[in-house]
């Protein structure tokens, strides 16, 4: 099967966004930035489209303008191994962005992210429904997911 590549529509800040995202995620790089030439139709030198790779996942971007802003209808999940990773990605992606709830946030470009520790998935799929419910209830009260708080909620049963 051919790869599926997310394509993102930016409000004329693709180059800045690509530089930001590649600074946040390890093993990342900008592949190409395609610029208008003297032949037009845009201002020569301005970026029209490009591609970048975030830790092995390729993205395509276009500078399309403000017609189609990002919404929570599309988000990207970052599954983190531990609290240090959660803290790192949360602080980097909310810098200039906004916190939401249940591990969701928006970055400075309006793109939604879910910063989720692997431990949350494990607790939510616990065969004991009381433990899974306790983890769910704890998560619903959080902005950034804190593993120790999830563990405490389950341990109080």
């Amino acid at each position: 099967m051919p790869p599926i590549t997310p394509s993102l529509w930016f409000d004329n800040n693709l180059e800045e966004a690509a530089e930001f995202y590649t600074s946040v995620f390890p093993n990342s790089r900008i592949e190409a930035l395609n610029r208008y030439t003297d032949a037009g139709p845009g201002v020569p030198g301005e970026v029209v489209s490009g591609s970048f790779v975030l830790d092995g996942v390729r993205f395509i971007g276009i500078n399309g303008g403000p017609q189609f802003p990002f919404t929570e209808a599309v988000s990207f999940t970052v599954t983190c191994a531990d609290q240090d990773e959660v803290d790192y990605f949360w602080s980097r992606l909310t810098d200039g962005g906004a916190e939401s709830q249940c591990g969701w946030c928006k970055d400075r470009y309006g793109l939604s992210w879910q910063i989720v520790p692997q431990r949350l998935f494990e607790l939510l799929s616990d065969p004991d429904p009381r433990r899974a419910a306790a983890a769910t209830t704890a998560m619903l009260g959080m902005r950034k997911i804190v593993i120790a708080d999830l563990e405490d909620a389950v341990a109080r049963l």
Side-chain angles (χ1 to χ4, degrees):
M1 178 173 150
I4 296 171
T5 304
S7 185
L8 304 173
W9 182 292
F10 290 91
D11 184 12
N12 299 315
N13 53 8
L14 167 60
E15 184 171 14
E16 176 187 314
E19 289 171 357
F20 172 70
Y21 294 134
T22 57
S23 77
V24 170
F25 292 90
N27 306 311
S28 300
R29 70 187 184 287
I30 295 173
E31 283 186 323
L33 293 173
N34 307 305
R35 299 178 186 278
Y36 290 113
T37 66
D38 290 334
V43 176
E46 285 189 2
V47 173
V48 63
S49 64
S51 59
F52 52 95
V53 176
L54 303 181
D55 201 16
V57 178
R58 186 170 187 255
F59 289 77
I60 295 171
I62 184 171
N63 269 335
Q67 297 92 316
F68 303 109
F70 297 125
T71 73
E72 289 84 355
V74 173
S75 64
F76 295 101
T77 301
V78 179
T79 303
C80 300
D82 55 32
Q83 192 65 50
D84 287 342
E85 281 190 2
V86 169
D87 294 345
Y88 168 80
F89 286 110
W90 188 264
S91 69
R92 294 295 308 271
L93 292 170
T94 59
D95 182 17
E99 295 183 1
S100 188
Q101 64 184 65
C102 304
W104 285 60
C105 64
K106 280 189 178 185
D107 65 33
R108 62 184 73 172
Y109 305 100
L111 191 58
S112 292
W113 297 87
Q114 297 178 55
I115 310 303
V116 185
Q118 178 61 39
R119 184 64 180 136
L120 175 63
F121 295 122
E122 295 164 1
L123 290 169
L124 295 179
S125 61
D126 192 296
D128 180 343
R130 294 176 319 120
R131 290 172 55 87
T136 300
T137 300
M139 175 203 60
L140 291 173
M142 297 179 187
R143 289 187 177 271
K144 176 178 73 173
I145 303 297
V146 178
I147 297 170
D149 293 349
L150 294 171
E151 298 282 1
D152 287 345
V154 171
R156 286 194 301 265
L157 290 178

